Amino acid sequence: MQSARAFGLALSAIALSAGTVWAASGGAHIERHHWSFTGLGGQYDKAQLQRGFKVYQESCSACHGLSRLSFRNLFEAGGPEFDEAAVKSLATEWPNQIVDGPNDDGEMFERPPLASDPIRGPFANEKAARAANNGALPPDLSLIIKARTVENHSSWPLHVVQMGKDVLSGYQEAGADYVYALLNSYKGSEPDTNGMYVNAAFPGGKIAMTPPLTVDNTVAYLEDGQSAPEGMTVPPSTVAQNAEDVTAFLAWASDPSLNTRKQIGWQVMIYLLITTVLLYLGKKQIWARLKH
Amino acid sequence: MAQHESTYKPSNNFGKWMDERLPVARLVHDSFVDFPTPRNLNYLWTFGGILTFCLVAQLVTGIVLAMHYQPSADEAFNSVERIRRDVNFGWMIRNFHAVGASMFFIAVYVHIFRGLYYGSYKAPREILWILGVFIFLAMMATAFMGYALPWGQMSFWGVTVITNLFSSLDSIIPGLGTSIVQWLWGGYAVTGATLNRFFSLHYLLPFVIIGLVILHVWALHVVGQNNPTGVEPKTKADTVPMGPYAIAKDAVAMFAFLIPFAWFVFFLPDYLGHADNFTPANPLVTPPHIVPEWYFLPFYAILRAIPSKLGGVMAMFAAIAVLAFVPWLDRSRVRSTKYRPVYKWFFLLFVITCLALGYLGSKPADGIYVFWARIFTFYYFAHFILVMPFVGLLETPKKLPNSISESVLGKSGGGGGDTVPSGATASPEKR
Ligand code: HEM
């Protein structure tokens, strides 16, 4: 798929945006970010998804579930592709247990998740979640990237031109751009008197989520003294890097078939192009029998 | 046209035996192989075939989806997610169906504008055209109910807003609107009961569309196809048999159409939908902008352009209903806009109007947007009610060619308009 990817990149380059105004529903400006999975040939970066999962596990999972994903998805093809045994042992230690039952005594009980179980969040129900979060509900993150977008507030000619460019370059990453911006747009980490934090990317400018990533509180990619695995470079753990990685991970969570989808897409495109040309030549031959 | 003699010859004994009992093969041969088509058709005439493909594609993908989909308020959203994640190639089937709905509408809009440009609705094709308007209506109903099925935020609120429109009938007969709305909902609010009936109808209506399409094609085969000159075929030289000529061309167009289709399916599957529909329906949280699918936007703009609710609803339905009267609104002596130097510009303005209404339908209904929506809504109706009759009466059309073959071959090439040309159509039959 290397060549498909290079071709995709070339096409995306043609479509560089110029002077368009982007905003989340609230009105703040949202930058477009370059993602490995953007565009026609884009694919997830496995190492990034693995780092992103670590950020989710160590930071976000304290409040957010990921319940449309099962642990098994973490070792399946097209995702972070962790080692199967490692994921299974991770599942047994996952702090948020699965309620199962009733057992032979008719009692419900809690047990550690299996590979086929969903990745649950910490709260038993919405009320509990709100009670712990100043009345706000931390949404399940399994579809958050698909469920958010960035609105185009440019004047109509620019809007139309931008739509054309996006369609040609296969741009569908507005949700990722938004979440990345959200994690990077906190102003200070102190709440106001209502317990709200200032965040320019969030519609309305104030969000109930405590800044999950701050300068003094980032997720380390390597344990103390651990060195990067052979042939891999591990980026430094900054807020921006954590945010980018967890966003990529969440993008995979909401669209796990992206890798296969784009690969098959190219095969289908090539097949359709060749068939169309052949049919056209055949049609010309047939019509050539007629007098012009 | 349809009365031309059948040229079907069974090729074996079984064929002969069958032909004397149930001549399906003869029907197919006469309707889709030997059927004479004007020789000057351009690629805009391939969209009928493309639409048939779209209908079949929606049926096939839809039936597979229905095997995994659960039409209940609690499970609908989850079941669609399971289709995306856990069903083998479920994401592909689902993308084909969701993108397919949009492609179906792109094709039908091209098809309708083709008819409007070339005057294909004029006598003797009025019934053919009106059947098309009914197909369009049934498609809109199907797509509207289909969009409700994933039961996301936009599904739920789209259903709420659109069904609520009927309550405006209360201002004609108090209680009428409310009763209709409750009857549509199956209760006092949009609930799982509403979803259930929408699923039932979403499964039913495509089969109604098939029935309408059969009538549409039947009517087509009685009156024959129009063509870019709008001049009816007069001699054999004006037509070519559908097989292989028109079929070869249809095949090229169909595959070319599949390229953007597949582009969206594989590269931009969610581009044509709304992000809000990835959040499960929640009756307590209203999304900031409730917008219908892109193919409804021009009608949505018309709905909101009218200051009164009832007026808006009536204008919206009138915008579709007016299409059925086009055969009698257009007073022009010639069919094809190619030969109408004045109307041509009005037609262009009409196309711009529809695109502009589409854009405005996607914007919030305030300020400058409403102003423009009103201007364009005015022209939308004026085009049908004023331009079509009056420009038709007043304009002097350009001179029409004597025949189709004359327009294709030129005066000299075909050896004159009314001589029976030698090679042209003779060759395919002589093979
Ligand atoms: C005229 C043809 C049809 C049109 C225009 C149409 C349109 C649509 C639309 C717009 C959606 C929502 C897509 C989405 O955002 O998920 C949908 C969903 C659905 N349709 Fe259809 N449809 C057609 C035929 C059918 C048929 C024949 C069936 C089954 C027999 C079917 C079954 C379904 C199911 C189960 C869903 C929900 C699953 C989903 O949302 O992906 N459709 N349809």
Side-chain angles (χ1 to χ4, degrees):
Chain A
M1 277 293 83
Q2 274 315 104
S3 55
R5 182 156 173 178
F7 182 59
L9 284 178
L11 270 185
S12 325
I14 303 171
L16 276 182
S17 64
T20 317
V21 188
W22 301 102
S25 334
H29 175 76
I30 306 281
E31 287 291 335
R32 283 192 177 187
H33 187 73
H34 182 78
W35 302 101
S36 71
F37 49 90
T38 309
L40 306 173
Q43 300 272 292
Y44 295 122
D45 171 351
K46 198 170 90 180
Q48 183 174 46
L49 299 193
Q50 296 194 349
R51 295 195 301 270
F53 174 71
K54 194 156 193 287
V55 179
Y56 167 75
Q57 182 188 3
E58 291 179 23
S59 170
C60 327
S61 74
C63 302
H64 295 279
L66 202 57
S67 59
R68 290 179 199 280
L69 239 55
S70 303
F71 285 93
R72 68 175 161 82
N73 297 132
L74 296 172
F75 59 76
E76 284 169 355
E81 298 180 11
F82 285 113
D83 177 56
E84 180 170 342
V87 170
K88 285 183 170 158
S89 79
L90 172 89
T92 57
E93 286 155 24
W94 196 253
N96 311 319
Q97 304 258 308
I98 301 290
V99 178
D100 204 344
N103 62 14
D104 292 343
D105 301 325
E107 310 286 339
M108 299 304 279
F109 59 93
E110 289 200 339
R111 61 161 176 81
L114 301 171
S116 56
D117 281 315
I119 305 181
R120 284 251 180 285
F123 303 111
N125 52 53
E126 182 179 334
K127 287 262 158 57
R130 285 190 191 274
N133 285 284
N134 197 13
L137 178 70
D140 186 278
L141 293 182
S142 16
L143 273 173
I144 199 77
I145 302 293
K146 288 274 172 209
R148 293 292 179 275
T149 190
V150 175
E151 276 170 28
N152 186 343
H153 288 298
S154 351
S155 61
W156 71 266
L158 280 177
H159 191 151
V160 171
V161 169
Q162 190 61 48
M163 264 166 41
K165 285 180 178 171
D166 289 348
V167 167
L168 289 178
S169 61
Y171 171 82
Q172 204 181 234
E173 275 64 45
D177 290 340
Y178 165 73
V179 171
Y180 178 64
L182 181 78
L183 296 173
N184 278 311
S185 301
Y186 278 98
K187 274 241 159 48
S189 46
E190 290 306 313
D192 66 10
T193 46
N194 299 320
M196 301 292 278
Y197 300 85
V198 176
N199 186 317
F202 190 67
K206 288 196 172 172
I207 187 167
M209 168 163 71
T210 330
L213 307 164
T214 58
V215 187
D216 338 289
N217 186 18
T218 54
V219 173
Y221 293 127
L222 296 170
E223 308 306 325
D224 278 342
Q226 194 188 355
S227 58
E230 195 83 33
M232 219 157 129
T233 44
V234 176
S237 303
T238 58
V239 171
Q241 187 65 43
N242 279 181
E244 181 180 315
D245 293 345
V246 77
T247 305
F249 170 75
L250 294 174
W252 166 75
S254 63
D255 195 359
S257 52
L258 178 142
N259 280 6
T260 340
R261 174 158 66 69
K262 290 186 184 176
Q263 286 164 18
I264 298 181
W266 278 107
Q267 294 163 9
V268 171
M269 279 344 270
I270 290 166
Y271 162 74
L272 287 176
L273 278 168
I274 294 175
T275 315
T276 308
V277 170
L278 292 178
L279 283 170
Y280 178 70
L281 296 175
K283 180 250 165 196
K284 268 183 74 163
Q285 282 245 313
I286 290 173
W287 281 75
R289 293 182 207 156
L290 295 175
K291 204 166 176 186
H292 303 281
Chain B
M1 303 234 70
Q3 287 78 24
H4 77 283
E5 209 145 304
S6 176
T7 58
Y8 174 69
K9 279 192 198 67
S11 56
N12 55 33
N13 283 338
F14 175 71
K16 249 185 98 182
W17 185 86
M18 204 53 197
D19 193 48
E20 284 155 9
R21 289 162 178 81
L22 184 67
V24 203
R26 178 180 298 276
L27 181 73
V28 171
H29 178 87
D30 294 346
S31 321
F32 302 109
V33 179
D34 192 40
F35 182 69
T37 63
R39 60 181 297 170
N40 61 339
L41 299 185
N42 58 36
Y43 273 98
L44 288 172
W45 265 266
T46 59
F47 278 82
I50 289 172
L51 282 162
T52 314
F53 166 80
C54 287
L55 179 59
V56 174
Q58 288 307 92
L59 269 162
V60 172
T61 53
I63 287 171
V64 177
L65 284 176
M67 292 174 187
H68 302 280
Y69 172 78
Q70 287 170 281
S72 82
D74 288 336
E75 279 307 311
F77 190 92
N78 296 336
S79 70
V80 172
E81 271 312 302
R82 280 196 295 273
I83 292 172
R84 287 184 68 221
R85 290 163 191 270
D86 296 333
V87 173
N88 290 334
F89 290 99
W91 58 268
M92 190 149 95
I93 295 160
R94 202 244 169 174
N95 290 353
F96 259 105
H97 196 77
V99 170
S102 283
M103 292 296 145
F104 205 156
F105 276 92
I106 290 179
V108 87
Y109 283 130
V110 173
H111 196 67
I112 293 173
F113 279 97
R114 186 280 318 262
L116 287 171
Y117 185 82
Y118 293 108
S120 302
Y121 44 80
K122 287 176 89 73
R125 298 186 179 81
E126 303 92 325
I127 295 295
L128 175 59
W129 172 262
I130 291 172
L131 282 164
V133 177
F134 280 111
I135 293 173
F136 181 46
L137 264 176
M139 272 176 69
M140 299 220 274
T142 309
F144 170 65
M145 289 189 253
Y147 195 64
L149 302 185
W151 216 233
Q153 273 291 66
M154 208 52 104
S155 297
F156 180 89
W157 289 96
V159 170
T160 307
V161 169
I162 300 300
T163 48
N164 251 317
L165 293 176
F166 289 94
S167 66
S168 62
L169 293 174
D170 278 349
S171 56
I172 308 179
I173 302 174
L176 174 68
T178 313
S179 316
I180 291 181
V181 173
Q182 286 173 4
W183 178 74
L184 289 173
W185 286 346
Y188 298 103
V190 175
T191 62
T194 323
L195 175 61
N196 240 277
R197 56 188 53 202
F198 274 28
F199 179 55
S200 171
L201 293 174
H202 184 71
Y203 210 136
L204 171 70
L205 280 179
F207 295 92
V208 174
I209 296 179
I210 292 182
L212 289 167
V213 168
I214 290 173
L215 293 180
H216 188 73
V217 173
W218 184 6
L220 173 73
H221 283 224
V222 172
V223 296
Q225 284 168 290
N226 183 31
N227 67 81
T229 62
V231 177
E232 291 289 341
K234 290 173 185 153
T235 63
K236 249 189 141 198
D238 291 339
T239 63
V240 292
M242 181 159 171
Y245 296 95
I247 289 179
K249 205 163 171 173
D250 281 341
V252 177
M254 179 117 63
F255 271 81
F257 182 76
L258 277 171
I259 292 172
F261 195 141
W263 190 273
F264 277 99
V265 167
F266 292 101
F267 299 133
L268 293 156
D270 305 306
Y271 186 84
L272 297 163
H274 302 112
D276 278 311
N277 232 20
F278 280 101
T279 303
N282 183 348
L284 303 177
V285 179
T286 319
H289 310 299
I290 301 173
V291 214
E293 290 286 86
W294 69 265
Y295 35 80
F296 293 134
L297 290 174
F299 301 103
Y300 195 56
I302 291 176
L303 168 78
R304 299 186 307 172
I306 311 289
S308 103
K309 188 169 169 189
L310 179 64
V313 174
M314 298 208 323
M316 182 173 74
F317 283 106
I320 302 162
V322 72
L323 287 170
F325 298 95
V326 163
W328 297 278
L329 288 168
D330 177 4
R331 311 300 304 180
S332 165
R333 273 160 289 160
V334 303
R335 288 202 185 103
S336 172
T337 305
K338 250 171 94 176
Y339 303 96
R340 303 184 59 185
V342 181
Y343 180 72
K344 190 152 85 186
W345 298 106
F346 285 102
F347 186 84
L348 181 66
L349 184 56
F350 180 68
V351 173
I352 293 172
T353 297
C354 294
L355 294 174
L357 283 171
Y359 174 77
L360 294 165
S362 76
K363 291 287 168 186
D366 47 39
I368 190 77
Y369 297 127
V370 176
F371 171 78
W372 282 109
R374 288 187 181 154
I375 302 272
F376 285 116
T377 299
F378 173 78
Y379 185 71
Y380 182 92
F381 287 105
H383 183 82
F384 290 105
I385 294 164
L386 300 173
V387 174
M388 281 199 163
F390 293 109
V391 175
L393 283 174
L394 301 175
E395 160 190 62
T396 319
K398 286 198 242 168
K399 193 178 164 322
L400 293 179
N402 287 320
S403 71
I404 293 174
S405 50
E406 182 192 298
S407 86
V408 178
L409 306 172
K411 276 243 157 39
S412 50
D418 45 13
T419 31
V420 181
S422 44
T425 44
S427 69
E429 271 102 75
K430 264 196 278 178
R431 270 179 300 123

